[in-house]
Amino acid sequence: MLDEELLAAWLRLGSIIDNQRLVSELPFNEAMVCGLILRAQENGDALTARDLCAQTRILKSQMNAILHSLEKKGFLQRKRSQKDLRQIELFLLPEGRERYLDSHRQTLALVDRLIDEAGQETIQTLIPLLTQMADSFDKILKEV
């Protein structure tokens, strides 16, 4: 049963990524949010909580908890938008940015070990397949 095998593999990988703290300081969702905010800042953009919810599909209440935790840890600052005073934009503080990048380097070191273990050719084959599956699943969810 291909559907059961795919679901089992997907759930196993998902639980390893979600439940295993890859680095000591940031849980998975906090690291993901920091990465999105950092990329936006590097592009001269700013994100709001609503933007992050749309990009990650994390519920608003969960996103608020993530943002509160990041603020409490000194990673994040909220600022009123200069373009639209109704909007609150999110920025990584300089120290938070450095701490995130340190954690991100640790995560990349683990990913590099995975590449070494699986082999570059396997990973190069896997990336477009995973991207295609994510795109397909995204499309299906929009239709539901």
Side-chain angles (χ1 to χ4, degrees), residues 1 10 14 22-23 27-28 30 32 39 49 65 67 69 74 83 87 91 99 112-114 118 128 138:
M1 303 253 256
W10 180 5
L22 296 178
V23 293
F28 177 79
E30 288 182 15
M32 179 175 52
R39 281 190 285 287
L67 297 175
S69 176
K83 298 176 192 171
Q87 299 283 329
F91 298 93
R99 289 168 51 202
D112 288 340
R113 289 182 63 191
L114 177 62
D138 195 32

Side-chain angles (χ1 to χ4, degrees), residues 32-89:
M32 179 175 52
V33 165
C34 283
L36 291 170
I37 293 170
L38 178 62
R39 281 190 285 287
Q41 278 181 239
E42 288 173 343
N43 292 328
D45 297 325
L47 295 177
T48 64
R50 177 179 284 170
D51 297 329
L52 289 169
C53 287
Q55 289 183 32
T56 63
R57 291 205 170 97
I58 293 174
L59 297 174
K60 182 180 177 183
S61 59
Q62 292 171 313
M63 183 59 70
N64 285 334
I66 291 166
L67 297 175
H68 178 74
S69 176
L70 288 170
E71 275 184 302
K72 191 174 170 182
K73 291 177 183 178
F75 279 79
L76 181 72
Q77 180 179 26
R78 300 177 201 230
K79 292 182 184 177
R80 190 155 306 276
S81 170
Q82 297 298 316
K83 298 176 192 171
D84 182 348
L85 296 177
R86 297 171 296 175
Q87 299 283 329
I88 303 294
E89 298 175 333

